[in-house]
Amino acid sequence: MTATLNARRTRAALRGSARVSGELLLVLVMATVVLWVLGRMWSVVWPLVVALLLTTLTWPPTRFLRRRGLAPALAASVVIVLFLLVAAGTVALIAVPVASQSGELADGVVEGIRRLREWAAGPPLNIDDDQIARAFDTATARIQDSAGSIATTAVTGVSTVFSGLVTAVLALFLMFFFLKDGPRFLPWLGRQLPGRLAADVPAVAARCWDSLGAFVRSQALVGLLDAVFIGLGLWLLDVPLVLPLAVLTFVSAFVPIVGALFAGFVAVLIALVSNGLTNALLVLAVIIVVQQLEGNVFQPIVQSRGLGLHAAVVLLAVTLGGNLAGIVGSFLAVPVAGLIAVVWNYLREQLSDPPQDPVTGAPGAGVPS
């Protein structure tokens, strides 16, 4: 006999589905409004995010100096000066060896172009000098025709560089205040909030701070692994400027996708102009292997352990962030996912019933209600 649907249960199920759908819709609308507001305030939000990430990196030495008796402002100033010196030293470590060998590199570029033309002139391409000249003339004509768009792009690039400088300066000032007054922020925040929020919001903020610190440390570890393995491969292949290239690889690891592409391009170019096409292809193979290991093994494992996220969640977060907001989205995807996990875990703790004692049936001791 065929069972018939119960009208009361069906209506209850539909009402429950409608209520849940309406609540989810309200949550999505609220999230959309928050993202829109953040987008409108991005010129302020982005320096704040950069300053927070830099503060997580520089807070341990600041805390050490403060515990040794230095005033907060003096400890913050010393750490920021040291940070700038390290940054300048890193740039010098990359630029000075490259500048000292710029003549050899320039000669290598000319030689590399000559070899490339000889290779293109032979089979299977059989491209002669006349074809190359015609292609060059065509490219020149297209560049002249698009002079207006090139000028617009140049102006946009200058504006972007200027905006980046403003962001860096503002982030440094914010980092100074965070290092100087950071420990006083959570108590101040608790005094501004009413009722239970005075305890909940500072607790969540403290956990979010720990999560950001774990992200920065894990990113630095991943960059170090990249620099070591790629530097070792370049040394074995006898590529010049191994140390500057390794340092460049470590620094560029903090910029997802573009950083790895830029560092890899520089390494392959130097190998090409110095040691020839075969050596450059070997360097490219080494970089691809290391980058694949970093993206699919090192980074998910390290970041999943540091942030308490599954490796698959890290991969999905980076993919989604990149699709939504490009490079910045890829960079912020993992820390944002970590912060969401922190808030979710705290809410679960507060909303869950304490486990009951199997003998007495009373709530277990020491479990937050």
Side-chain angles (χ1 to χ4, degrees), residues 35 47 57 111 172 183 218 252 282 296 305 347 356:
L35 292 176
L57 190 64
E111 179 65 20
L172 285 175
S218 62
S252 63
L282 292 175
N296 298 298
R305 291 180 178 178
L347 290 176
Q356 294 185 345

Side-chain angles (χ1 to χ4, degrees), residues 31-255:
T32 302
V33 171
V34 170
L35 292 176
W36 180 82
V37 171
L38 289 177
R40 301 293 294 180
M41 299 172 56
W42 189 246
S43 59
V44 176
V45 173
W46 179 233
L48 180 63
V49 171
V50 174
L52 284 174
L53 294 176
L54 292 178
T55 304
T56 60
L57 190 64
T58 54
W59 172 245
T62 306
R63 180 176 54 196
F64 174 81
L65 294 177
R66 293 176 64 151
R67 288 177 177 175
R68 292 300 181 274
L70 267 70
L74 180 59
S77 301
V78 170
V79 170
I80 288 180
V81 170
L82 291 176
F83 172 78
L84 293 176
L85 290 177
V86 170
T90 302
V91 174
L93 191 61
I94 297 174
V96 172
V98 172
S100 64
Q101 300 186 25
S102 59
E104 299 177 10
L105 291 176
D107 295 338
V109 169
V110 174
E111 179 65 20
I113 294 175
R114 186 188 66 79
R115 291 182 183 179
L116 185 62
R117 292 184 62 180
E118 291 178 354
W119 173 77
L125 299 180
N126 297 319
I127 300 176
D128 55 21
D129 291 342
D130 293 336
Q131 291 174 303
I132 295 176
R134 286 196 297 270
F136 181 78
D137 292 339
T138 302
T140 302
R142 289 183 178 179
I143 291 175
Q144 291 174 348
D145 294 337
S146 59
S149 60
I150 292 176
T152 303
T153 304
V155 172
T156 304
V158 172
S159 176
T160 302
V161 171
F162 179 76
S163 177
L165 291 176
V166 172
T167 299
V169 173
L170 184 56
L172 285 175
F173 277 103
L174 289 174
M175 184 174 70
F176 169 78
F177 290 115
F178 290 159
L179 292 175
K180 173 179 172 291
D181 301 322
R184 297 189 295 179
F185 175 72
L186 292 183
W188 172 85
L189 182 62
R191 292 192 299 268
Q192 311 308 311
L193 298 172
R196 185 172 177 177
L197 291 178
D200 289 339
V201 174
V204 172
R207 295 190 185 187
C208 291
W209 173 258
D210 294 337
S211 180
L212 284 177
F215 165 73
V216 173
R217 289 190 295 270
S218 62
Q219 198 72 16
L221 179 58
V222 169
L224 181 62
L225 292 174
D226 278 356
V228 169
F229 285 111
I230 291 179
L232 181 61
L234 296 177
W235 177 71
L236 292 176
L237 293 173
D238 197 25
V239 177
L241 303 175
V242 173
L243 183 58
L245 290 175
V247 174
L248 180 63
T249 301
F250 172 76
V251 174
S252 63
F254 288 90
V255 182

